[in-house]
Amino acid sequence: MKQIKKFLLPEDQIPESWYNIQADMPNPTLPPLHPGTKQPIGPADLAPLFPMELIKQEVSKERWIEIPEAVREAYKIWRPTPLYRAYNFEKLLDTPAKIYYKYEGVSPAGSHKPNTAIPQAYYNKMEGVKKITTETGAGQWGSALSFACQMFGIELEVYMVRISYEQKPYRKLMMNTWGAKVFSSPTNLTESGRKILAEDPNSPGSLGIAISEAVERAATNADTKYALGSVLNHVLMHQTVIGLEAVKQMEMAGDFPDIVIAPFGGGSNFAGIAFPFLRLNLQEGKKVRCIAVEPASCPKLTKGEFRYDFGDSVGLTPLLPMYTLGHTFVPDPIHAGGLRYHGAGAIVSQLLKDKVIEAQSVHQLSCFDAGVKFANAEGIIPAPEATHGIAAVVREALKAKEEGTPKTILFNLCGHGHFDMSAYEDYFNGKLVDHELSYDELHQGLNELNTHPLV
Ligand SMILES: *Cc1c(COP(=O)(O)O)cnc(C)c1O
C-alpha cells in the first residue's frame, strides 16, 4: 500500500501568471460586433460594464499575464487544489487506463468559479468600483462572486432566476451569508424587469431576463459594474490556474495525459484544465487530446453552427463568433443547470473549428450512472455538470480496455453536488428521461438568426 493517492502542491506553487492561449492560437478569434452597427466593438464600448484591466485582458495577446499578489493571497484559501489518481474507479471499470482527476470542489463555493470571481472582484476594487451586479441561474456563479466580493469589500447585487430562487433556497442563503443582496428576477427595480412583469406578473424568469436586469443596473449607475462567470476570454484565462497546477502534479505523478476531459457549459472549466496542456501541443509538439463534453440536450459544439450570435437570450450583448444553437434555443430542463447555455466562448469555438480540440455529447442518464459509480468508488459526489465529464471518461476508459491500450486520462472534477441532491433523487426515482432532439427543435433557434454561418 505505497500507492500515492493525491498529489499536493505547496502554497508557494500557486501559479504566478495566467496562461493566455490567444498568444498561441493557429487562427485568432474573430472580433465581437456591435449589435446595432455590426462593426467590431472597441474597449470604450465595454467600459461602462467592465473595469479597464479586464477589458485589456479580453483582447491581450501576451502569453503570460501576472496574477496580482492579492489574488494569489486569496487563492491560498483553497489553492493549490488536489490532483487524485482514481485507483478505485479504475478497478470498478476494470480498465487498463490510468485515470486522474483535478478536484475544484474544495473552493469555498464548491466549484471552479471562484478562480475568476476573485480576480474580477480585485480589479473592480482597484478601479474604485463600489458595487457589482450579476445574474445567476442555479446559483454556482452567484455564490462564487458573493464570496469574492466579500473578500474585497464590494457590494454585490445578484439577479437570480425566479424559479431557482424559489426552488434552491440554500444557494441564495450562501450568497446572503457572504453579504450579497439577492433579488428574484424579474424585479420591479429595472425597466427590463418591469416590462416583463407588466406582461406576465407570474413570469418564472430566465437567465436572459436576469442578464438584462443586471446589465441595466450597471449601465445606469456610474459606480456599478457587471460581471460574467464564463464565456469571455478573460474568464477562461483566469481558470488556467487549474491546468497550470495539473501539469506540475502530473509530473509529480511521473505521468502525462493522453486525454484531458472536462464538462462544457460556456467553456471556462474546460479551458481551465485544457489550455495549459494545449500550450504543450502548440509549442512543444505534444499530442494531448482535449475533449469538451456537453449534454445531448444542449449540443452546440457537436450539432450547432459556427456563426455570430448574441451571448444572452434577449439580444443585448455584442455579437460573438461562436458555435451556437441560436440564442432563442430553450434547452430541456436537465439538472445540469450550468450546461444549459445556447453558445460557447469565442476562443473555444475557434479552437474547435480549427480541430485543435474535440467535442462529444452525452445523455443525462449515462451521466448520473457514471456519477453514482464515481461516488461509490472515490467517495466524492460530483456536481451534475461534472458527471458529463465522468461519463466521457467511462467511454474512453472502456475503449482503452477494448483496444488493450493503457491510456492516461485526466479530467476536471469541477464541483461537488451537495446542493444538487434533488437531481440525484429524481435519478434514483426514475424521473429522468433522455430524449433525442428533433430536427425542428435543433434548428429553430438557428433559423431565427439573421447571420450567415462562418464555415
Ligand atoms: C458553471 C459551471 C459549469 C459550466 O460552466 P463552464 O464555464 O463551462 O465551466 C460546469 N460545472 C460547474 C460545477 C459549474 O458551476
Side-chain angles (χ1 to χ4, degrees):
M1 278 300 286
K2 281 271 154 52
Q3 288 174 327
I4 298 176
K5 176 73 185 166
K6 61 184 183 301
F7 300 89
L8 299 172
L9 294 167
E11 277 179 12
D12 63 6
Q13 296 284 307
I14 291 173
E16 290 176 7
S17 300
W18 292 295
Y19 169 55
N20 180 15
I21 201 168
Q22 294 194 78
D24 295 318
M25 291 172 72
N27 293 301
T29 55
L30 298 166
L33 304 181
H34 189 281
T37 64
K38 305 266 166 30
Q39 294 303 305
I41 56 165
D45 294 306
L46 296 173
L49 294 183
F50 301 104
M52 201 37 78
E53 186 55 35
L54 292 176
I55 296 172
K56 280 193 209 148
Q57 290 181 5
E58 189 66 16
V59 295
S60 172
K61 297 273 192 286
E62 290 287 320
R63 181 169 292 120
W64 300 102
I65 292 186
E66 195 180 329
I67 304 177
E69 208 40 55
V71 171
R72 295 183 76 227
E73 208 50 49
Y75 276 170
K76 279 186 191 169
I77 296 174
W78 75 100
R79 303 212 72 81
T81 61
L83 181 131
Y84 293 87
R85 170 92 183 261
Y87 291 108
N88 296 335
F89 197 43
E90 290 169 16
K91 207 177 292 162
L92 185 145
L93 296 174
D94 187 26
T95 173
K98 287 186 273 181
I99 302 174
Y100 294 86
Y101 59 98
K102 181 77 165 154
Y103 185 41
E104 291 295 308
V106 292
S107 82
S111 77
H112 63 290
K113 295 237 168 54
N115 296 332
T116 184
I118 287 285
Q120 290 196 49
Y122 168 80
Y123 290 119
N124 274 288
K125 181 72 178 181
M126 288 300 103
E127 295 184 28
V129 174
K130 297 281 184 290
K131 193 194 274 187
I132 298 178
T133 64
T134 198
E135 71 287 333
T136 199
Q140 284 276 20
W141 168 240
S143 51
L145 192 60
S146 301
F147 154 65
C149 283
Q150 181 57 241
M151 292 290 109
F152 289 101
I154 298 179
E155 271 182 67
L156 177 66
E157 273 183 12
V158 181
Y159 291 81
M160 185 172 189
V161 177
R162 182 177 182 174
I163 186 152
S164 305
Y165 183 95
E166 284 164 6
Q167 290 176 354
K168 306 211 168 194
Y170 296 120
R171 281 271 169 208
K172 173 189 164 271
L173 285 162
M174 286 173 82
M175 295 183 237
N176 293 148
T177 304
W178 280 312
K181 283 205 190 97
V182 186
F183 300 107
S184 169
S185 166
T187 71
N188 53 19
L189 300 171
T190 67
E191 202 67 46
S192 318
R194 285 191 292 270
K195 206 159 97 192
I196 302 284
L197 287 175
E199 286 162 15
D200 178 8
N202 296 316
S203 162
S206 73
L207 214 46
I209 297 167
I211 293 177
S212 307
E213 291 207 272
V215 167
E216 183 186 320
R217 286 287 276 191
T220 52
N221 288 284
D223 63 351
T224 304
K225 300 264 186 236
Y226 166 73
L228 200 63
S230 184
V231 179
L232 297 178
N233 302 345
H234 67 268
V235 178
L236 272 54
M237 184 187 74
H238 296 156
Q239 293 293 352
T240 59
V241 288
I242 302 172
L244 292 167
E245 289 175 5
V247 168
K248 287 189 191 164
Q249 288 163 307
M250 290 301 295
E251 246 171 58
M252 286 170 78
D255 226 330
F256 190 77
D258 299 296
I259 306 173
V260 171
I261 290 175
F264 193 96
S268 78
N269 91 85
F270 170 77
I273 195 153
F275 286 4
F277 287 98
L278 285 176
R279 181 180 79 81
L280 304 177
N281 285 4
L282 295 165
Q283 289 191 318
E284 296 175 13
K286 291 269 200 289
K287 293 205 161 50
V288 186
R289 288 177 59 206
C290 293
I291 308 175
V293 189
E294 62 185 6
S297 57
C298 193
K300 62 263 187 153
L301 298 177
T302 53
K303 298 208 168 134
E305 284 183 3
F306 184 57
R307 59 205 274 180
Y308 274 105
D309 195 5
F310 295 106
D312 65 325
S313 29
V314 177
L316 292 180
T317 69
L319 286 160
L320 302 169
M322 53 155 100
Y323 277 92
T324 181
L325 294 163
H327 61 281
T328 56
F329 178 81
V330 182
D332 267 3
I334 57 158
H335 281 287
L339 308 184
R340 294 181 72 228
Y341 183 65
H342 66 274
I347 291 180
V348 192
S349 294
Q350 186 67 44
L351 292 172
L352 181 63
K353 175 181 172 278
D354 291 337
K355 300 192 163 54
V356 175
I357 62 168
E358 298 171 39
Q360 295 181 5
S361 71
V362 282
H363 282 286
Q364 68 172 345
L365 286 177
S366 60
C367 292
F368 279 98
D369 180 62
V372 170
K373 281 201 176 90
F374 181 82
N376 289 339
E378 296 292 320
I380 299 171
I381 299 176
E385 290 87 356
T387 62
H388 289 68
I390 301 173
V393 169
V394 170
R395 199 185 266 169
E396 294 297 329
L398 295 182
K399 202 161 95 190
K401 181 176 165 181
E402 248 166 51
E403 294 170 355
T405 46
K407 288 271 171 10
T408 298
I409 303 171
L410 167 65
F411 76 94
N412 197 13
L413 185 52
C414 53
H416 65 64
H418 298 180
F419 293 92
D420 307 285
M421 295 317 295
S422 63
Y424 280 84
E425 185 178 32
D426 285 350
Y427 171 67
F428 292 136
N429 291 337
K431 284 195 193 154
L432 299 190
V433 285
D434 287 333
H435 102 112
E436 286 301 327
L437 285 170
S438 70
Y439 182 88
D440 284 350
E441 283 171 311
L442 261 177
H443 287 82
Q444 186 178 343
L446 291 169
N447 291 342
E448 286 171 7
L449 274 178
N450 60 357
T451 57
H452 294 291
L454 296 167
V455 280

